[in-house]
Amino acid sequence: MPEILEPLGRVNFPLIGNSLVIGLFSLLHIAFASLAVGFMILAPIFEGIDRGDRFYTEVAHGLTRFTLVTFTASLVLAVLMIELFVGLFPRTNSWMFNQFRYPIYLAVAAFFIQLFALYPYYHFWEPIRRRSPALHRALGFFAAFFVLVWVAVLDGMGSYMLTPVSAEGTWGNLLNPTWMPLVIHRFFGNFVFAGFAIAAYAGWMLGRRRGDPEGEAYYAPLLKIGFLIGLAALLIQPFTGLFYATQIRSASPEAYAQLIWGRYRWLVYLQFVLIAFLFIGSHLVLRSIRTERGRTLPGEWILFGSALLMVLFVERPTLRRLFTFALVGLSFFYLYQWREGLRAAGGDQLNRSPVRRLAIGLGIVSLLTYWTMGTIRETARRPDTVRDIISLYDEARTPSYARPGSTPDAEEIGAGGP
């Protein structure tokens, strides 16, 4: 009589646990993916504003080349992340696929369509531009549009895991209360990171090519443009963040309370510390490159104080928002006040050590901010993988290959969702 083999027990990733390993790959993936999305949108815009000045076309070409590199790395990390998610959280994975079957088909189709537009846009750059610059730009915008479709569906799935709805059909699940706020918030977040990343790269290259007039002529204006993109998006982000937080509070008050007052509230403190650094660092860049010199103005001390009070009142949302928007208002005021100096700033102002270091620092802080915001959203639904539907206890109790009599991993249940 053949021996009956006992089914395999739950798979547990050694040392760091299932949740953390997926989280690490997710963070690496979104770092590359957000840059790819931001650059993919910026490239045809830069190409479109080129009016006889090859600088913007060269920037567009460089961004597209970097997009292909980051896109490839992002894709590899995404595949690894999905494979781990399928193997380590099979119940959640099968539930999500069934809830988003047709939107996933749309996302996959959009992904391949944008590839068919992106690769000719880069690899046949000059031949297509010689025949029709308008066609070439159209390919770039076409790729950007479909990558946004891809991202929007993924955001729909992520938002559903925090604020699920009971809808008829898979398309209704996409329209959950926090989907559009998340799409908008991440859209501008991509530009914060992409803009400051461009400035950081330009600052690093200026440091490497000191004394090279040709390098300074390219990288100094690149630093200024990247900085302005990052700062402009940063000034918008508090409004999109308020919209997103309000929707979370309305749709899932328990999740919102867990964010602000729960065991992971230190992440929210960290987030606002990083945001304060972004605002203060941006102001110091503006102050460093303006043409006129002077003492620190009283309004600047108010700006620094607002940043500090914003952090101190994290657990008092009304006061925190008051100081956040005071910080936004003052930052916009000084951007407008010093606009002429910023417009006139050239290599002499931009290729100085303090400006280069601040630009690199802003790039690093913007990446940390992006990672922290993503992590906060995931902790809001702990100990569930899909809030109020599937918990980590359910996942551990009934894995795909359950061993009779197996018990949940207590450490995994306490750690949180994937």
Side-chain angles (χ1 to χ4, degrees):
M1 185 174 179
E3 180 182 358
I4 299 177
L5 298 177
E6 186 181 56
L8 294 173
R10 171 173 165 78
V11 177
N12 289 303
F13 204 87
L15 298 179
I16 61 176
N18 294 351
S19 297
L20 186 56
V21 69
I22 293 179
L24 290 174
F25 276 99
S26 299
L27 292 176
L28 291 173
H29 162 68
I30 65 172
F32 289 109
S34 60
L35 282 181
V37 172
F39 290 170
M40 204 178 300
I41 297 170
L42 289 172
I45 294 175
F46 278 129
E47 186 185 1
I49 63 177
D50 191 344
R51 295 293 183 267
D53 184 355
R54 289 286 300 178
F55 171 76
Y56 290 104
T57 301
E58 291 175 7
V59 172
H61 190 260
L63 290 179
T64 308
R65 180 172 59 249
F66 194 77
T67 295
L68 292 179
V69 175
T70 57
F71 203 74
T72 303
S74 171
L75 186 59
V76 172
L77 290 167
V79 170
L80 291 172
M81 180 183 68
I82 292 171
E83 292 294 331
L84 287 168
F85 187 61
V86 171
L88 300 178
F89 294 89
R91 180 171 180 173
T92 304
N93 174 77
S94 60
W95 170 268
M96 290 299 296
F97 182 82
N98 287 327
Q99 301 305 309
F100 286 89
R101 184 181 301 270
Y102 296 112
I104 288 173
Y105 294 157
L106 172 64
V108 172
F111 177 80
F112 282 106
I113 291 172
Q114 64 90 19
L115 283 183
F116 290 139
L118 177 63
Y119 278 84
Y121 179 73
Y122 175 73
H123 289 291
F124 300 98
W125 186 280
E126 289 301 334
I128 298 176
R129 277 181 57 84
R130 279 196 299 267
R131 291 179 63 89
S132 174
L135 174 61
H136 189 258
R137 289 194 300 271
L139 280 173
F141 283 116
F142 200 68
F145 172 77
F146 279 99
V147 81
L148 288 177
V149 174
W150 161 261
V151 170
V153 173
L154 296 184
D155 285 344
M157 297 174 68
S159 59
Y160 174 87
M161 295 175 78
L162 178 60
T163 54
V165 293
S166 299
E168 294 184 5
T170 58
W171 295 106
N173 294 326
L174 197 65
L175 302 174
N176 64 82
T178 58
W179 173 51
M180 191 50 62
L182 177 60
V183 170
I184 295 171
H185 190 57
R186 289 191 64 179
F187 178 79
F188 287 102
N190 289 335
F191 287 115
V192 173
F193 183 26
F196 286 136
I198 292 171
Y201 171 72
W204 178 65
M205 290 301 295
L206 282 171
R208 290 189 61 189
R209 301 183 63 170
R210 281 177 294 182
D212 178 7
E214 184 178 345
E216 184 177 281
Y218 178 79
Y219 290 109
L222 183 64
L223 187 153
K224 182 161 61 175
I225 289 171
F227 168 73
L228 286 174
I229 292 170
L231 178 57
L234 179 64
L235 292 174
I236 296 171
Q237 273 296 74
F239 298 95
T240 68
L242 175 61
F243 180 37
Y244 185 36
T246 301
Q247 290 300 103
I248 294 176
R249 187 172 191 173
S250 175
S252 182
E254 299 85 1
Y256 181 83
Q258 182 166 303
L259 280 175
I260 305 300
W261 301 289
R263 59 182 290 197
Y264 296 103
R265 64 182 179 274
W266 63 271
L267 283 169
V268 182
Y269 276 97
L270 175 60
Q271 174 194 12
F272 279 95
V273 167
L274 294 170
I275 291 171
F277 283 156
L278 287 177
F279 275 101
I280 292 173
S282 298
H283 179 78
L284 292 177
V285 170
L286 287 172
R287 199 172 192 277
S288 298
I289 63 180
R290 62 178 177 150
T291 53
E292 68 276 6
R293 292 283 180 259
R295 296 180 179 179
T296 302
L297 302 174
E300 294 181 84
W301 289 115
I302 297 174
L303 185 147
F304 300 146
S306 297
L308 175 62
L309 291 170
M310 176 186 69
V311 175
L312 293 178
F313 287 107
V314 162
E315 296 184 46
R316 302 283 296 276
T318 302
L319 290 174
R320 184 191 70 226
R321 290 166 187 162
L322 173 65
F323 292 115
T324 300
F325 289 114
L327 188 58
V328 171
L330 286 166
S331 297
F332 182 82
F333 169 78
Y334 283 109
L335 176 62
Y336 179 80
Q337 188 79 4
W338 296 337
R339 66 191 185 283
E340 294 299 332
L342 181 63
R343 185 181 296 116
D348 292 341
Q349 289 83 27
L350 296 165
N351 192 13
R352 292 189 293 114
S353 181
V355 176
R356 294 197 306 269
R357 291 176 180 175
L358 283 168
I360 294 171
L362 286 171
I364 295 171
V365 173
S366 65
L367 171 60
L368 296 176
T369 306
Y370 202 92
W371 275 346
T372 304
M373 287 182 174
T375 304
I376 288 171
R377 181 169 60 89
E378 299 303 304
T379 62
R381 50 186 169 81
R382 292 182 174 182
D384 295 341
T385 56
V386 180
R387 190 165 184 84
D388 299 326
I389 295 177
I390 302 175
S391 70
L392 282 165
Y393 182 84
D394 296 328
E395 191 74 62
R397 183 178 56 186
T398 56
S400 294
Y401 300 100
R403 180 190 300 273
S406 63
T407 58
D409 186 342
E411 182 180 353
E412 185 66 28
I413 293 173

